[in-house]
Amino acid sequence: MPTARDVAKQAGVSTSTVSRVMNHDPRISPETRDRVVKCIEDTGYRVNQIARSLKTNRSYTIGFLCPELSNDFFMKIAEGIEMELGKYGYSMVVCSSNGTIQGEEERIRLLYEKCIDGLIVIPATNSGSHYQWIKDLRIPVVLADRLAEGFSADAVLVDNFNGTYLAIEDRIRQGERRIGYIGGDLALTNARERDDGYRKALESYSIQIDDSIIKYGDFHTESGYSKMKELMQQENPPGCVFIANRYMHVGATKYLIENTAPSEKAVSIVSFDDLELVSSLGFCKVVVRQPTLEIGITAAKLLYDRVNGEILPYPQIIRLKTELHKI
Amino acid sequence: MPTARDVAKQAGVSTSTVSRVMNHDPRISPETRDRVVKCIEDTGYRVNQIARSLKTNRSYTIGFLCPELSNDFFMKIAEGIEMELGKYGYSMVVCSSNGTIQGEEERIRLLYEKCIDGLIVIPATNSGSHYQWIKDLRIPVVLADRLAEGFSADAVLVDNFNGTYLAIEDRIRQGERRIGYIGGDLALTNARERDDGYRKALESYSIQIDDSIIKYGDFHTESGYSKMKELMQQENPPGCVFIANRYMHVGATKYLIENTAPSEKAVSIVSFDDLELVSSLGFCKVVVRQPTLEIGITAAKLLYDRVNGEILPYPQIIRLKTELHKI
DNA sequence: CTGTTAGCGCGTTCAC
DNA sequence: GTGAACGCGCTAACAG
């Protein structure tokens, strides 16, 4: 591991000169620069970012905290973040909170000790007061996908309400009157907004809300399966079901495949987010698509601006548009 | 951001004492410790890991480099790594190589500058000579899922050959004689091993290899679709097809759903890795399951041992068992 | 048991 | 245009 000193010695200059060359300081003679550059290449010298960070107080590292890693949706967001911040030489420490507040607290402390320049988090629960701690330490925080109660901060979300509203409206216009609902945990703001969109759409068309065809899962596959089962086993099942996210959509579809005679396909599905395959299966008629990669990119841009002291109104709540996609 | 000095001043001790308290140095009087601990809590002091790293030459950070982030398989591995190394206070910088050597080179340099203690990589291509650079700099490297040519290192893989062999054998015993194959890019060692397993199984049962029903995709959904299409549009399509990974399995299944009359289900599928849904669809009869999370955990353990100078034969090539799962 | 000293590798004055 | 000197926050070596 050659250091600046090694390069300096070999080039017959001081370490400050090496530092200047590394940082493209203009007031350095071409000859010296060339000589130093050559020695840098010869020795294979690379700045030690740790040492640099200590001096400059910037780590060029940001944290990404989400409830779980093996989740396509979260990781698509991560991908967007990496794409965007990678351009500026940032790297990303990825942490899983395991869906708990304790997990989040632990990870946040860890990230703070690592001197991250900023943090992007997908809240695991509806509670966000513990984020305040790191924010007070002057680390910019950007929420993604969901808001958190008790914590006001920059956030990048999608238009859950309108997306859902339009999807339901579309089904109503197709003549559907009895539309069931499989939602997510209402503690999560995105789940709540989708819920609101569903109810508001029915209300707008003077359709009575029927609580017996409204079920709440946890955004995971199994709950999609079991909730769809509950719906279908009623004496008067809905003719169409809205499902609030992709994983529950998979589970619900699984139930339908296993329990529907090939001829009927009585039930249709409307869903937030689709998955491969699902569209070929014939159950799903309409999908609300969200710009997942964009969520990451936008959050990264926002964080970048905050880290670099860009003057923006606070907080920035950015809503990205969803898109109604008919299959 | 309070520092050790602040705590020291407040507790009326020196910074080394604070440091000792932080590091649980036993030779420190209970009274002093208590006083210092109290001041630590009062000030909200946390070690600056950057400064610590500079001194100790350990960052307690490892790198995880993989071809893409929005990939369930890779991220399941990442999850395993985080679970295991998180126990020891490590965090993980996640980078995407975008499937290219240049991407890998870039990221590796970045990670080196960040002074990672070790690196786990899922090779993007069959070429691995560029990993040598960081290994020569005394950073332990562990490969996951695939090997890379021109680079000998620790690796955690699954038993691709046997897994495939047994799956094919099972089908042969079920009376299947004409078994097609949709493989991955043979540049990847895991794809090659699965290929060998397929061929060897046919050979063992004296079944002639028929190149017209052997196709190669790229492990992504679209290629699964198009290769299955090619197979099915032949005059004499296979009655059973082995598919070498989950994403191609999804694509292939998609083709079958869209092009198979509900009554027939003429073709059956055997696959490496299943996905939700796929098992309910009736096409897939046998799946070779790999312990994905375990790959990550095992790679992390191995890396941990290397980082901590554990004496182990070099290189360690660990093969995890796959499991034949009938649906 | 605890304080003093030195230095990790770099960037940044401030001289020259 | 370049070098010497200092300090970022911490830990390790040596005293006492």
Side-chain angles (χ1 to χ4, degrees), chain A residues 14 17 20 28-29 32 55:
Chain A
S14 74
T17 303
R20 286 182 188 119
I28 204 153
S29 77
T32 322
K55 184 71 193 174

Side-chain angles (χ1 to χ4, degrees), chain A residues 17-303:
Chain A
T17 303
V18 177
S19 169
R20 286 182 188 119
V21 171
M22 289 305 290
N23 296 296
H24 305 104
D25 192 317
R27 46 172 201 185
I28 204 153
S29 77
E31 306 84 54
T32 322
R33 187 201 329 283
D34 291 349
R35 200 167 70 252
V36 173
V37 165
K38 186 169 177 315
C39 293
I40 288 173
E41 283 164 1
D42 286 354
T43 55
Y45 167 73
R46 304 244 131 217
V47 251
N48 180 330
Q49 297 285 3
I50 294 278
R52 172 182 277 177
S53 294
L54 188 59
K55 184 71 193 174
T56 61
N57 242 334
R58 306 190 79 195
S59 62
Y60 285 92
T61 298
I62 65 118
F64 176 60
L65 179 60
C66 63
E68 53 181 350
L69 302 191
S70 59
N71 179 309
D72 254 8
F73 177 72
F74 298 156
M75 286 307 126
K76 199 81 190 171
I77 293 177
E79 199 157 78
I81 297 170
E82 213 233 9
M83 277 175 55
E84 182 62 23
L85 286 178
K87 290 189 209 161
Y88 306 109
Y90 279 81
S91 47
M92 174 178 67
V93 176
V94 175
C95 294
S96 162
S97 62
N98 288 313
T100 67
I101 296 190
Q102 296 87 321
E104 288 189 329
E105 284 175 342
E106 250 172 57
R107 300 310 179 171
I108 288 176
R109 274 199 297 273
L110 187 76
L111 290 169
Y112 172 68
E113 291 184 352
K114 290 268 166 81
C115 300
I116 50 168
D117 292 342
L119 175 65
I120 296 176
V121 29
I122 300 180
T125 72
N126 65 332
S127 150
S129 46
H130 55 299
Y131 304 142
Q132 195 66 39
W133 178 78
I134 192 165
K135 197 183 132 193
D136 286 343
L137 264 4
R138 328 187 98 265
I139 313 286
V141 176
V142 173
L143 303 181
D145 188 44
R146 313 159 179 172
L147 292 169
E149 268 163 36
F151 179 67
S152 154
D154 293 329
V156 179
L157 314 164
V158 300
D159 191 0
N160 294 298
F161 178 87
N162 263 313
T164 307
Y165 184 98
L166 294 175
I168 299 293
E169 181 175 57
D170 176 81
R171 286 299 93 187
I172 295 174
R173 291 199 174 147
Q174 296 297 317
E176 216 56 81
R177 296 271 116 190
R178 194 163 163 71
I179 303 176
Y181 184 81
I182 300 179
D185 182 350
L186 290 187
L188 268 26
T189 58
N190 52 357
R192 210 153 55 221
E193 290 165 358
R194 290 169 202 177
D195 199 60
D196 291 344
Y198 164 76
R199 289 169 188 272
K200 185 70 183 173
L202 293 190
E203 193 184 300
S204 301
Y205 286 82
S206 307
I207 299 176
Q208 182 74 36
I209 305 278
D210 178 353
D211 283 330
S212 72
I213 54 172
I214 298 181
K215 303 284 179 185
Y216 293 104
D218 64 1
F219 277 166
H220 286 94
T221 308
E222 297 70 28
S223 74
Y225 187 93
S226 61
K227 296 305 167 187
M228 182 57 98
K229 183 173 183 180
E230 287 177 24
L231 285 179
M232 290 302 111
Q233 290 184 338
Q234 295 183 180
E235 57 257 59
N236 183 13
C240 171
V241 178
F242 178 91
I243 301 171
N245 94 328
R246 68 201 308 175
Y247 291 109
M248 293 195 303
H249 184 179
V250 172
T253 302
K254 191 174 159 78
Y255 176 81
L256 293 181
I257 292 171
E258 295 176 0
N259 296 279
T260 309
S263 55
E264 22 177 341
K265 304 240 167 177
V267 194
S268 68
I269 286 181
V270 189
S271 158
F272 223 90
D273 264 352
D274 55 347
L275 274 183
E276 301 284 353
L277 262 198
V278 153
S279 56
S280 313
L281 255 25
F283 293 109
C284 185
K285 306 299 182 196
V286 174
V287 156
V288 183
R289 287 204 174 145
Q290 42 183 339
T292 318
L293 194 69
E294 290 294 328
I295 296 176
I297 293 175
T298 310
K301 278 184 176 150
L302 184 49
L303 188 65

Side-chain angles (χ1 to χ4, degrees), chain B residues 95-153:
Chain B
C95 294
S96 161
S97 62
N98 288 313
T100 67
I101 296 190
Q102 297 87 323
E104 289 189 328
E105 284 174 343
E106 249 173 58
R107 300 311 178 172
I108 288 177
R109 273 198 297 272
L110 188 75
L111 290 169
Y112 172 67
E113 291 183 352
K114 291 269 165 80
C115 302
I116 50 168
D117 292 340
L119 175 66
I120 296 176
V121 27
I122 300 179
T125 72
N126 65 331
S127 149
S129 46
H130 55 300
Y131 305 142
Q132 196 64 41
W133 178 78
I134 192 165
K135 196 183 132 195
D136 286 343
L137 264 6
R138 329 190 96 262
I139 313 286
V141 176
V142 173
L143 303 179
D145 187 45
R146 311 160 181 172
L147 292 169
E149 266 163 38
F151 179 67
S152 155

Side-chain angles (χ1 to χ4, degrees), chain B residues 137-171:
Chain B
L137 264 6
R138 329 190 96 262
I139 313 286
V141 176
V142 173
L143 303 179
D145 187 45
R146 311 160 181 172
L147 292 169
E149 266 163 38
F151 179 67
S152 155
D154 291 330
V156 178
L157 313 164
V158 300
D159 190 359
N160 294 298
F161 178 88
N162 264 312
T164 307
Y165 185 98
L166 294 175
I168 300 293
E169 182 176 56
D170 176 82
R171 287 298 93 188

Side-chain angles (χ1 to χ4, degrees), chain B residues 14 16-17 20 27-29 32 55:
Chain B
S14 74
S16 10
T17 302
R20 284 182 190 121
R27 45 171 202 189
I28 204 156
S29 77
T32 321
K55 182 70 191 174

